[in-house]
């Protein structure tokens, strides 16, 4: 069962985001990007108050995703990417992104904190960061 309300178009938007942000990191990396996106919609906290839809989350400014500024994001969603997006929408979580609201790709090691958020771990090139349970209980 879905953990956030979506329609078919929103699933495709999330699938395109996951591919554009993390295709080079394989399915697991793409699932982690999806976790961050779903958490932002679920959370209603910190930088993501009043984010209620996939569109709100993907196109948020400031704070949205860099991939939306590049042409690759605007290619059609592929069936395999849509299937991955459905998995995270249905509640599948992957560590270290399971409770994360942020990720970025540093040139070196992951910092312990990023904008006062704790590092939950790294997967390939991306570092993931989580809020506290007190700041954002809905992502836990």
């Amino acid at each position: 069962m879905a953990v956030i309300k979506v329609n078919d178009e929103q699933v495709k938007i999330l699938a395109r985001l996951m591919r554009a942000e993390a295709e080079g990191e394989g399915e697991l990396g793409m699932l982690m990007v999806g976790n961050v996106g779903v958490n932002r919609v679920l959370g209603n906290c910190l930088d993501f108050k009043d984010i209620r839809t996939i569109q709100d989350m993907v196109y948020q400014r400031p704070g949205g995703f860099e991939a939306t500024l590049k042409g690759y994001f605007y290619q059609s969603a592929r069936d395999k990417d849509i299937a991955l997006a459905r998995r995270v929408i249905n509640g599948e979580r992957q560590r270290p992104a399971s409770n994360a609201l942020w990720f970025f790709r540093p040139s070196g090691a992951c910092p312990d904190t990023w904008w006062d958020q704790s590092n939950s771990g790294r997967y390939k090139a991306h570092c993931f960061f989580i809020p506290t349970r007190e700041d954002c209980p809905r992502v836990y």
Side-chain angles (χ1 to χ4, degrees), residues 48-65:
F48 310 105
K49 287 185 178 169
D50 299 321
I51 299 296
R52 294 287 184 267
T53 68
I54 295 290
Q55 288 98 324
D56 291 345
M57 176 269 298
V58 169
Y59 300 108
Q60 182 184 11
R61 294 286 181 262
F65 293 90

Side-chain angles (χ1 to χ4, degrees), residues 2 5 13 15 17 25-26 31 35 64 76 78 82 85 96 103 105 109 116 118-119 136 140:
K5 285 183 77 172
I13 291 170
L17 177 72
E25 298 192 356
L31 287 167
N35 285 157
S76 295
R78 302 176 301 198
I82 291 169
F103 66 88
R105 183 180 182 147
D116 296 323
S118 297
N119 179 348
C136 204
Y140 285 90

Side-chain angles (χ1 to χ4, degrees), residues 23-94:
E23 182 176 38
E25 298 192 356
E27 287 186 4
L28 189 54
M30 292 170 62
L31 287 167
M32 289 182 194
V33 167
N35 285 157
V36 169
V38 168
N39 286 343
R40 289 180 179 189
V41 175
L42 277 174
N44 193 30
C45 60
L46 303 171
D47 297 337
F48 310 105
K49 287 185 178 169
D50 299 321
I51 299 296
R52 294 287 184 267
T53 68
I54 295 290
Q55 288 98 324
D56 291 345
M57 176 269 298
V58 169
Y59 300 108
Q60 182 184 11
R61 294 286 181 262
F65 293 90
E66 185 178 321
T68 62
L69 304 174
K70 300 182 177 168
Y72 191 58
F73 170 77
Y74 294 93
Q75 294 179 7
S76 295
R78 302 176 301 198
D79 289 344
K80 65 182 183 177
D81 303 329
I82 291 169
L84 291 174
R86 288 193 187 285
R87 286 169 57 184
V88 296
I89 289 166
N90 286 331
E92 183 174 326
R93 292 179 172 223
Q94 301 293 331

Side-chain angles (χ1 to χ4, degrees), residues 113-129:
T113 60
W114 189 54
W115 298 98
D116 296 323
Q117 306 306 313
S118 297
N119 179 348
S120 59
R122 181 180 199 131
Y123 181 73
K124 295 189 179 183
H126 286 103
C127 302
F128 293 87
F129 298 86

